[in-house]
Amino acid sequence: MIGLDLAARAVEAAVRAVEGGEHAEHQKADDDGESGHGLSVAEQGLSAQIVIMLILISTPDRWLGVELRHFAALQALASEGSFGRAAERLGYTQSAVSQQIATLERIVGEKLVERPGGPRPISLTEAGELLLRHADSIVSRLQAAQADLHALQAGELGTLRVGTFQSAGARLLPAVMRRFTSAWPGIDVVIGELEDEEVEQAIERGELDVGFVALPVSDAPLEWSELVHDPYVLVAAAGSPFATSPKPPTLAEITAERLIGFKPHRSVEAVEAVLRAAGLEPRYAFRSNDNGTVQGLVAAGIANAIQPRLTVDEADPRIVVRDLEEMPPRVIAIARHRDRYYSPAARAFVEAAVATTRP
C-alpha cells in the first residue's frame, strides 16, 4: 500500500509537472515563435513513468534480498563460534562475514548474533537459532537440487510418462519395462492406460513423453518406430463349429453369425473396413472395450469375435483361436512428439521397446 501511495503521489506530481511544462512551452513558443509542446509533454511523461517504476521496484518484500551467502555465513558462524574462524572456513575476510551477518540482520529486522567481545565466543540469539534451522533446510535443499539436476542432465534421474492401451500394456509393456528399469533404475516411470487414439492425443498435448499406438496415427505431430505386426484372429468357444472345422473360416461364414465386438475405435474400424470392402456387414450381439469381458462372452458361447491376437489370452482352454488370412494385421508402434524435448530417458525407453519386441 505504501508503494501505491507513493506512486499515486508521483503521478500527481508528474501531472503537475506536465501542466507546468505545457504552460512554459506555450510561453516559450509565444516568445520564440516555435512550438516545443509535444516534446516537453513526452519527456515529462516519461520522467513520471521512471519515477513510478523506481518506487515500485524499491518497495518489494525485503526478504527477497536474502541471499544464500548470508545463510552460509550464519551457518559458519554458528559452527565455528567466531567471525575469524567462520571467515577461514568460507574463504572470506573477517569483515566480509561481519558485513553479511549485518546485512541479514537488517533484512530480517532481528538481531541474530550476540557479540560479547573479548575472548568469549559469539552465540546466536533466539531469532538467530530459529533462522538457522531454516537456513540449514534451504541449503540442504539447494544441494539436493544441484545433485538432482546433475543426475537429470546425465539422464539418470527424473520422471518418464508412458502411455499404453490395454493389450500393449498387458503383452508388450512388462518386457519393455524390465529391460528399461534394469538400465535406468533412477527413472520413475508413470504409466497411463488409455485408448490408442487417446494416447496420441495425450502425447500431442505434452501429457505423455512416449506411448504405444496403433498405426496409422492421426495428423498429430508424432514420430514413431514400428514394434510388432499383430494379426487379427477369430476367437470361438471350444467345441463350436468354427473351433472344430478343419478348414480356415471365411469372412462370409463369420459374418453370417452375430459377433462380440469392441466399441468403435481404430482397430474396429480397420476390421469393419475390410468386411465392407468384401460386401459384408458385421452384426454385434454385444460390445465392450474390456478384453477379458469379450473373451468371457465368447467362451460362454454367446458369439464369436474378431480380435487382434494380442488382446486374446490363448492359454484359456475355453476358447479356440483361428487365423484369418484375409485380414491385414494391426501394426503397433512406440511414438513420441516430434517437436518436443527428447530426453535421454525417453530415447532409452523407445530403444528398449524396439529391442524387446523386434526379433
Side-chain angles (χ1 to χ4, degrees):
M1 292 301 293
I2 293 174
L4 292 177
D5 290 342
L6 289 173
R9 289 199 291 272
V11 170
E12 293 173 3
V15 170
R16 289 195 297 273
V18 170
E19 291 172 348
E22 287 180 326
H23 178 74
E25 289 298 326
H26 277 302
Q27 184 64 46
K28 187 176 186 301
D30 290 342
D31 293 342
D32 299 342
E34 297 178 358
S35 175
H37 170 73
L39 178 60
S40 173
V41 171
E43 288 176 342
Q44 296 190 50
L46 180 60
S47 298
Q49 292 177 15
I50 292 172
V51 169
I52 294 168
M53 289 174 62
L54 289 174
I55 290 171
L56 293 176
I57 290 170
S58 65
T59 56
D61 189 337
R62 65 187 183 212
W63 277 75
L64 297 179
V66 176
E67 299 179 17
L68 288 170
R69 60 195 180 101
H70 299 147
F71 286 152
L74 186 66
Q75 286 181 313
L77 201 56
S79 176
E80 301 297 337
S82 78
F83 282 94
R85 288 193 296 273
E88 290 177 7
R89 171 175 166 175
L90 296 172
Y92 294 159
T93 63
Q94 184 170 329
S95 62
V97 174
S98 181
Q99 270 187 342
Q100 288 168 10
I101 295 298
T103 299
L104 184 58
E105 289 179 325
R106 184 168 61 254
I107 291 172
V108 303
E110 294 284 349
K111 183 178 181 180
L112 304 175
V113 178
E114 295 286 0
R115 302 168 174 83
R120 289 179 296 172
I122 63 95
S123 61
L124 299 189
T125 64
E126 184 177 4
E129 292 286 357
L130 178 63
L131 186 59
L132 178 64
R133 291 199 293 273
H134 291 287
D136 289 341
S137 176
I138 290 168
V139 172
S140 296
R141 291 298 299 269
L142 179 69
Q143 292 168 341
Q146 183 181 28
D148 283 352
L149 283 176
H150 282 314
L152 183 62
Q153 290 164 359
E156 299 169 354
L157 193 68
T159 300
L160 183 68
R161 301 163 301 171
V162 177
T164 184
F165 50 92
Q166 194 177 167
S167 55
R171 306 295 295 277
L172 303 180
L173 182 62
V176 177
M177 284 291 295
R178 185 164 52 249
R179 179 186 289 263
F180 176 78
T181 56
S182 66
W184 297 75
I187 300 295
D188 180 21
V189 180
V190 178
I191 306 297
E193 185 173 281
L194 305 164
E195 297 298 330
D196 48 7
E197 296 95 333
E198 293 174 342
V199 173
E200 295 175 25
Q201 296 162 6
I203 295 173
E204 182 176 10
R205 291 192 300 265
E207 297 168 2
L208 296 172
D209 300 307
V210 296
F212 294 90
V213 297
L215 299 182
V217 299
S218 63
D219 57 357
L222 306 183
E223 63 181 28
W224 60 87
S225 300
E226 287 189 14
L227 301 179
V228 296
H229 285 209
D230 184 22
Y232 286 92
V233 294
L234 176 69
V235 184
S240 70
F242 281 126
T244 57
S245 174
K247 61 179 184 177
T250 67
L251 296 182
E253 291 171 335
I254 293 170
T255 54
E257 299 183 12
R258 292 164 69 86
L259 296 168
I260 303 294
F262 295 104
K263 294 179 181 179
H265 67 280
R266 183 168 298 151
S267 296
V268 173
E269 291 168 0
V271 169
E272 292 178 348
V274 171
L275 295 176
R276 288 174 182 140
L280 305 171
E281 188 65 32
R283 296 174 300 118
Y284 294 100
F286 185 80
R287 288 178 181 254
S288 171
N289 274 354
D290 182 80
N291 295 340
T293 298
V294 171
Q295 183 160 326
L297 291 170
V298 171
I302 306 300
N304 306 308
I306 298 175
Q307 301 175 232
R309 187 180 290 273
L310 286 181
T311 67
V312 183
D313 177 10
E314 297 188 61
D316 185 347
R318 302 173 301 164
I319 55 106
V320 170
V321 176
R322 304 295 303 269
D323 293 331
L324 293 176
E325 298 177 356
E326 301 172 77
M327 192 76 65
R330 175 178 68 161
V331 181
I332 298 176
I334 185 78
R336 61 169 292 270
H337 199 296
R338 64 168 177 258
D339 299 323
R340 294 186 185 276
Y341 171 62
Y342 198 14
S343 69
R347 185 177 293 108
F349 190 91
V350 170
E351 292 170 354
V354 171
T356 303
T357 56
R358 288 184 183 174

